[in-house]
Amino acid sequence: MLGLLAHVKYIKKQKVGDLMKDYQQRRMKSYVLPEAVYRQALWAVKDLPRLKRSLELYLYKEGNLPSGSLVMERIGERNASEKDFTGQEAIKKAMLSMKIQAIEDAFFQIPYEYREGIRLKLTEGKEYGDDFHANTWKKWQQIFIFHVAKNLSLY
């Protein structure tokens, strides 16, 4: 019982906005996603800075990789597998690039004045700003997340 009281006190100390950070607005029926798809798209956007850093790292390392580096690995005594590490790196780089492009393309589906605020909110955890009402921000965030899900072929 004591733990429950402490939890209730903790909840009361939080702001109302903190309790419902990442929920979908249900009134825009055409943009409502299944919960699992919504969460995947949301976390893909939140992961955007790491994806960009990873792609930059691959591009930086690209000059240091020998071209056509095939490595033979002996597994056991009778099986050998051939691994193309350069090809695997190229596939990883292409997948990262496609994911980043899909997320960034979704920004063009919302008006210009909302893009930076939504990007800061989702990728850096900052507040939207005072330019527009909170419901307006949430509406455009919902539309943005919907387009991210479509671009990533999640929905």
Side-chain angles (χ1 to χ4, degrees):
M1 185 68 179
L2 209 59
L4 180 62
L5 290 175
H7 185 65
V8 169
K9 287 179 184 176
Y10 172 74
I11 289 176
K12 286 183 180 179
K13 287 181 184 177
Q14 290 181 325
K15 295 180 203 172
V16 174
D18 289 344
L19 294 176
M20 294 187 265
K21 281 186 177 176
D22 298 324
Y23 68 94
Q24 292 189 74
Q25 293 189 351
R26 301 286 178 193
R27 66 176 182 235
M28 297 186 332
K29 301 274 188 233
S30 59
Y31 294 104
V32 174
L33 298 166
E35 189 64 23
V37 173
Y38 178 79
R39 296 285 171 200
Q40 287 178 39
L42 179 66
W43 281 100
V45 175
K46 288 184 176 194
D47 196 32
L48 188 61
R50 187 194 63 82
L51 293 174
K52 286 183 175 181
R53 284 191 307 272
S54 296
L55 182 60
E56 287 174 7
L57 181 64
Y58 279 125
L59 294 174
Y60 176 75
K61 286 178 16 179
E62 188 176 68
N64 299 332
L65 290 175
S67 60
S69 61
L70 287 175
V71 176
M72 290 291 281
E73 269 184 15
R74 199 168 213 37
I75 302 174
E77 290 191 10
R78 48 192 164 119
N79 291 335
S81 69
E82 187 174 301
K83 293 191 177 181
D84 180 8
F85 289 110
T86 304
Q88 290 173 358
E89 291 291 315
I91 291 170
K92 287 179 187 176
K93 187 170 43 170
M95 294 300 288
L96 275 173
S97 180
M98 287 173 42
K99 194 169 189 177
I100 291 168
Q101 190 64 46
I103 295 169
E104 288 181 346
D105 285 349
F107 277 113
F108 293 107
Q109 302 299 319
I110 59 175
Y112 177 79
E113 53 269 12
Y114 301 104
R115 293 177 191 167
E116 187 63 18
I118 290 173
R119 185 192 65 76
L120 289 173
K121 174 72 172 174
L122 295 179
T123 61
E124 299 178 20
K126 296 183 178 177
E127 293 301 318
Y128 292 119
D130 297 333
D131 299 340
F132 304 100
H133 190 271
N135 290 343
T136 306
W137 283 111
K138 290 175 186 175
K139 169 187 148 184
W140 288 110
Q141 177 179 318
Q142 176 83 20
I143 293 169
F144 169 70
I145 296 292
F146 176 82
H147 286 290
V148 169
K150 283 186 72 169
N151 292 351
L152 291 175
S153 300
L154 298 174
Y155 185 69

